[in-house]
């Protein structure tokens, strides 16, 4: 006993080393940095003072709670719009009688592969009141009065960006649900057909319960993705998440704090504190999913 | 089998899907079409196709003359290919160790590596930057390659070890009897057999790495190491009044991912439907 099998070590070492050094260690180092601050270029331990500032100091807390609330709204729109549309598209595509399903699937997935820079700019262009594609299109159907500079108004900008993000990523829930629907055994559907359950009612009564685990995974992926989002807001609205911080989410808030922007100086310690808060939020979400949702969903698996 | 007939139901389904496809493709259409038009035509009739009168390549000329697009493209390419190579090689090696050998702590090791699936690496950005600065890797492509490799490994190990458990033991044992080393068994017997799984992992990682804006912005913003995504972001900022150039730059940034997607989309769909992410 005790003989080291060197080949096992050799196989594991590269992955474990890179993963530990570049992911796990920085993660904990960031949590550690959140407990420090700089004074005259020296790093001093300040305990939870950074968090106290972040949550309670009016200058910081106003931004933090704003970003957090915006982030929840961003997430909620994805849950209420993106995932139902994705499921509906997958249900249509998985119908055995449908032709050209592969073509539809490919086309709908195209926005997902585009970079945020392209997506942000394309929609800014379309929605811009100056260029006027959106106003003139609405005019063509007699709805011009509905037009507003959606990305430029505080009350609409965040919702508009969330919908753009939905447009971009609807392909992911669609693909995952599509795969789940295809893996439902034919016999179950046939048994339902014998009992007279077909069409829409087959979807609600048989397929939907069976794909609930996949819907659970999609929900947690949406959650983690949204509370880690940054690129689209940055590409479309810049680091200041305008107008007047109405589109600020935790990702942009952390970037601005850590890196500094215009007159604001970068502060790695407060940046770490925000990152730690994001870590906590994501951890809570993942735990709720693992212990609350996934366990209950197991009943439905076959 | 009954013949296919267009029932009203099926008609409605096609209608809904076509409508959604139009929504999905419309912005791409607007960008690409207008990149081939003269400045006046872009503004006068943004939705019209270019014709003999309005066709113009002036935007592309500007981009190719002023922007360092080839350099950016090359940087993105190097980063993506190198990251994928390390994700696949290191990921497959670790997956093989976990799937093939029983050793003390193998379950803990598998759990440890799986941790990173749910935790975004961006949370650790502050410390990653500090580390890259202190090791002198900041503003090098290596910084990005290391980060993307670490980011891709957890899911790669998870997916690949599932597949490797499916490789027949008889084959490996026959190899052992023939005197093959464990390394030869891995590289010559197992790796070729899990090629479809490797392709799936590659496709999953390819697009997010190619499109990432966060890490290039923070770890490698210098001109000579800019990636295409960051480069086009900066370009838009500088040339915001030169619509021809911006639209051409964006069209050129769309092209490479489109090509990759067309090449690999079948593998992506096969990977998802075979349950790689269930």
């Amino acid at each position: 006993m005790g003989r080291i099998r060197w080949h096992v070590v050799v196989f594991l070492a590269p992955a474990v080393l890179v993963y530990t050094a570049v992911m796990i260690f920085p993660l904990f180092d960031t949590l550690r940095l959140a407990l420090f601050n700089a004074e005259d270029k020296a790093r001093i331990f300040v305990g939870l003072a950074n968090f106290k500032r972040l949550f309670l100091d009016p200058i910081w807390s106003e931004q933090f709670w704003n970003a957090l609330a915006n982030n929840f709204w961003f997430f909620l729109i994805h849950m209420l719009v993106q995932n139902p549309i994705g499921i509906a598209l997958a249900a249509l595509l998985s119908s055995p009688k449908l032709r050209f399903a592969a073509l539809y699937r490919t086309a709908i997935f195209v926005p997902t592969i585009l970079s945020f820079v392209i997506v942000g700019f394309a929609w800014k262009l379309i929605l811009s009141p100056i260029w006027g594609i959106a106003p003139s299109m609405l005019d063509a159907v007699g709805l011009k009065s509905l037009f507003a500079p959606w990305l430029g108004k505080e009350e609409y900008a965040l919702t508009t960006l969330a919908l753009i993000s939905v447009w971009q990523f609807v392909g992911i829930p669609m693909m995952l649900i599509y795969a789940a629907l295809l893996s439902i055994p034919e016999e179950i559907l046939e048994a339902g057909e014998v009992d007279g359950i077909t069409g829409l009612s087959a979807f609600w009564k048989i397929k939907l319960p069976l794909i609930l685990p996949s819907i659970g995974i999609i929900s947690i992926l949406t959650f983690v993705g949204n509370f880690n989002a940054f690129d689209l807001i940055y590409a479309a609205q810049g680091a200041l998440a305008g107008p007047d911080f109405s589109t600020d989410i935790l990702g942009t808030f952390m970037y601005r704090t850590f890196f500094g922007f215009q007159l604001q100086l970068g502060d790695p310690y407060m940046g770490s504190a925000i990152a730690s808060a994001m870590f906590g939020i994501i951890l809570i979400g993942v735990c709720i999913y693992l212990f609350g949702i996934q366990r209950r969903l197991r009943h439905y698996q076959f | 089998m009954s013949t296919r007939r267009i029932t009203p139901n099926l008609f409605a389904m096609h209608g809904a899907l076509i409508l959604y496809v139009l929504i999905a493709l419309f912005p791409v259409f607007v960008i690409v079409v207008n990149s081939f038009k003269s400045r006046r035509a872009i503004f006068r009739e943004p939705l019209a196709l270019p014709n003999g009168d309005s066709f113009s390549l002036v935007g592309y000329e500007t981009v190719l003359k002023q922007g360092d697009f080839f350099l950016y493209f090359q940087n993105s390419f190097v980063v993506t290919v190198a990251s994928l190579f390390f994700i696949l090689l290191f990921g497959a090696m670790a997956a093989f160790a976990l799937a093939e050998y029983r050793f003390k702590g193998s379950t803990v090791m598998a759990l440890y590596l799986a941790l990173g699936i749910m935790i975004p690496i961006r949370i650790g950005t502050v410390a990653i930057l500090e580390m890259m600065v202190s090791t002198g890797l900041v503003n090098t492509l290596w910084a990005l390659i290391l980060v993307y490799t670490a980011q891709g490994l957890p899911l790669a190990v998870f997916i690949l070890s599932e597949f490797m458990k499916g490789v027949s033991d008889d084959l490996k044992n026959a190899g052992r009897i023939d005197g093959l080393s464990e390394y030869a068994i891995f590289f010559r017997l197992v790796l070729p057999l899990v090629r479809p799984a490797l392709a799936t992992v590659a496709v999953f990682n390819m697009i997010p790495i190619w499109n990432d804006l966060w890490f290039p912005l923070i770890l490698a913003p210098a001109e000579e190491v800019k990636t295409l995504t960051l480069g086009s972001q900066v370009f838009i900022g500088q040339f915001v009044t030169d619509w021809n150039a911006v639209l051409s730059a964006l069209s050129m940034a769309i092209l490479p991912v489109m090509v990759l997607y067309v090449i690999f989309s079948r593998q992506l769909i096969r990977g998802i439907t075979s349950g790689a992410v269930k």
Side-chain angles (χ1 to χ4, degrees):
Chain A
M1 92 142 262
R3 200 169 58 89
I4 299 174
R5 286 181 290 170
W6 281 106
H7 53 268
V8 180
V9 178
V10 171
F11 279 131
L12 275 171
V16 173
L17 285 178
V18 173
Y19 170 73
T20 307
V22 189
M23 188 154 180
I24 299 296
F25 173 73
L27 205 61
F28 285 101
D29 203 30
T30 302
L31 302 185
R32 188 183 65 89
L33 279 172
L35 304 176
F36 286 81
N37 214 328
E39 222 165 79
D40 304 327
K41 287 189 178 172
R43 183 176 283 180
I44 52 160
F45 183 80
V46 294
L48 296 175
N50 288 338
F51 291 100
K52 220 173 116 190
R53 262 215 292 176
L54 185 62
F55 299 138
L56 300 173
D57 181 342
I59 297 169
W60 285 97
S61 70
E62 196 189 322
Q63 290 192 71
F64 175 75
W65 296 116
N66 173 49
L68 186 64
N70 286 345
N71 224 149
F72 263 108
W73 180 242
F74 199 71
F75 167 65
L76 205 65
I77 290 185
H78 281 79
M79 286 299 281
L80 295 179
V81 182
Q82 170 187 276
N83 296 347
I85 291 181
I87 294 167
L89 288 170
L92 288 178
L93 288 175
S94 70
S95 157
K97 278 177 287 182
L98 187 86
R99 296 174 73 177
F100 312 117
L103 210 63
Y104 288 130
R105 208 175 49 200
T106 309
I108 293 171
F109 203 71
V110 162
T112 310
I113 65 169
L114 299 179
S115 87
F116 296 94
V117 176
I118 298 167
V119 169
F121 191 78
W123 280 101
K124 255 166 84 174
L125 209 65
I126 290 169
L127 297 176
S128 114
I130 301 164
W131 208 32
I133 290 193
S136 61
M137 281 174 71
L138 283 174
D139 199 19
V141 286
L143 291 173
K144 192 172 182 185
S145 57
L146 283 181
F147 180 78
W150 283 299
L151 279 172
K153 289 232 165 160
E154 276 175 50
E155 59 268 44
Y156 305 124
L158 181 67
T159 309
T160 309
L161 280 165
L163 290 173
I164 293 172
S165 172
V166 165
W167 168 82
Q168 185 178 10
F169 288 118
V170 81
I172 291 175
M174 177 191 80
M175 287 286 204
L176 293 175
I177 295 293
Y178 177 74
L181 285 171
L182 287 191
S183 68
I184 295 175
E186 200 63 23
E187 303 90 75
I188 296 185
L189 297 177
E190 275 165 17
E193 234 166 88
V194 173
D195 292 340
I197 308 174
T198 54
L200 262 185
S201 71
F203 178 78
W204 289 110
K205 288 185 182 149
I206 303 173
K207 293 180 187 168
L208 193 64
L210 288 173
I211 58 169
L212 278 182
S214 301
I215 294 178
I217 291 176
I218 287 166
S219 309
I220 189 65
L221 285 178
T222 310
F223 181 82
V224 174
N226 283 174
F227 276 88
N228 179 34
F230 160 81
D231 309 58
L232 177 66
I233 310 257
Y234 179 80
Q237 307 291 73
L240 288 174
D244 196 20
F245 300 109
S246 60
T247 57
D248 203 19
I249 56 172
L250 292 170
T252 44
F253 180 40
M254 172 184 155
Y255 175 81
R256 237 183 14 250
T257 306
F258 165 43
F259 229 60
F261 201 76
Q262 292 178 356
L263 294 175
Q264 184 184 353
L265 276 168
D267 182 341
Y269 305 101
M270 284 308 281
S272 301
I274 297 169
S276 306
M278 290 166 77
F279 182 66
I281 292 164
I282 289 173
L283 214 59
I284 293 169
V286 171
C287 287
I288 291 175
Y289 164 73
L290 286 179
F291 298 110
I293 299 173
Q294 203 193 25
R295 260 196 205 163
R296 245 166 261 167
L297 288 179
R298 289 206 176 250
H299 297 296
Y300 287 106
Q301 271 169 332
F302 46 88
Chain B
M1 265 192 73
S2 61
T3 50
R4 290 177 202 270
R5 271 183 309 145
I6 299 283
T7 61
N9 216 339
L10 211 49
F11 192 70
M13 283 162 73
H14 278 290
L17 285 166
I18 289 169
L19 181 72
Y20 200 88
V21 167
L22 290 179
I23 295 173
L25 297 183
F26 177 67
V28 183
F29 170 82
V30 168
I31 295 237
V32 175
V33 161
N34 283 291
S35 75
F36 289 107
K37 296 203 293 208
S38 67
R39 187 182 163 82
R40 283 179 75 205
I42 293 174
F43 279 94
R44 207 171 33 208
E45 278 182 289
L47 287 174
L49 288 171
N51 54 33
D53 203 25
S54 62
F55 180 81
S56 160
L57 288 175
V58 64
Y60 288 92
E61 281 165 26
T62 317
V63 174
L64 295 180
K65 243 183 267 162
Q66 306 201 1
D68 288 312
F69 260 71
F70 292 108
L71 178 69
Y72 299 159
F73 181 86
Q74 191 190 321
N75 288 335
S76 277
F77 189 77
V78 169
V79 167
T80 307
V81 171
S83 307
L84 289 181
F85 174 77
F86 289 124
I87 291 172
L88 293 179
L89 179 67
F90 296 169
M93 284 164 62
F96 183 68
L98 293 174
E100 181 67 18
Y101 311 113
R102 303 300 312 157
F103 55 92
K104 224 190 210 169
S106 57
T107 323
V108 177
M109 185 57 83
L111 269 175
Y112 174 67
L113 285 171
L115 263 179
I117 295 176
M118 282 294 179
I119 304 167
I121 193 169
R122 286 182 184 186
I123 304 277
T125 303
V126 178
I128 290 177
L129 179 65
E130 236 179 39
M131 184 175 83
M132 295 300 176
V133 170
S134 64
T135 49
L137 286 174
V138 80
N139 275 328
T140 65
L141 296 180
W142 275 109
L144 297 177
I145 294 170
L146 278 171
V147 167
Y148 296 141
T149 306
Q151 169 183 267
L153 276 171
L155 194 63
V157 173
F158 184 74
I159 293 176
L160 293 173
S161 60
E162 289 299 308
F163 274 86
M164 286 185 182
K165 280 176 192 151
V167 175
S168 102
D169 282 332
D170 293 344
L171 182 75
K172 287 174 284 195
N173 289 332
R176 290 196 177 100
I177 290 166
D178 287 344
L180 290 182
S181 71
E182 295 298 317
Y183 305 109
I185 287 172
F186 170 68
F187 281 106
R188 299 211 337 239
L189 295 181
V190 176
L191 218 46
L193 283 175
V194 294
R195 220 183 290 153
L198 292 175
T200 302
V201 172
V203 176
F204 274 131
N205 283 297
M206 188 171 70
I207 290 162
I209 294 176
W210 182 276
N211 284 340
D212 189 36
L213 185 58
W214 175 267
F215 283 113
L217 196 61
I218 290 168
L219 297 180
E223 189 60 27
E224 65 277 9
V225 286
K226 257 187 202 131
T227 60
L228 188 57
T229 306
L230 181 58
S232 39
Q233 160 75 24
V234 174
F235 191 80
I236 288 174
Q238 285 167 351
F239 287 81
V240 83
T241 45
D242 189 342
W243 291 77
N244 294 93
V246 168
L247 291 166
S248 310
L250 291 176
S251 301
M252 282 167 57
I254 292 175
L255 194 67
V257 267
M258 281 292 196
V259 171
L260 287 176
Y261 177 61
V262 169
I263 296 173
F264 291 111
S265 68
R266 189 175 291 174
Q267 190 57 48
L268 177 74
I269 287 152
R270 206 182 296 150
I272 295 173
T273 45
S274 71
V277 283
K278 260 187 269 166

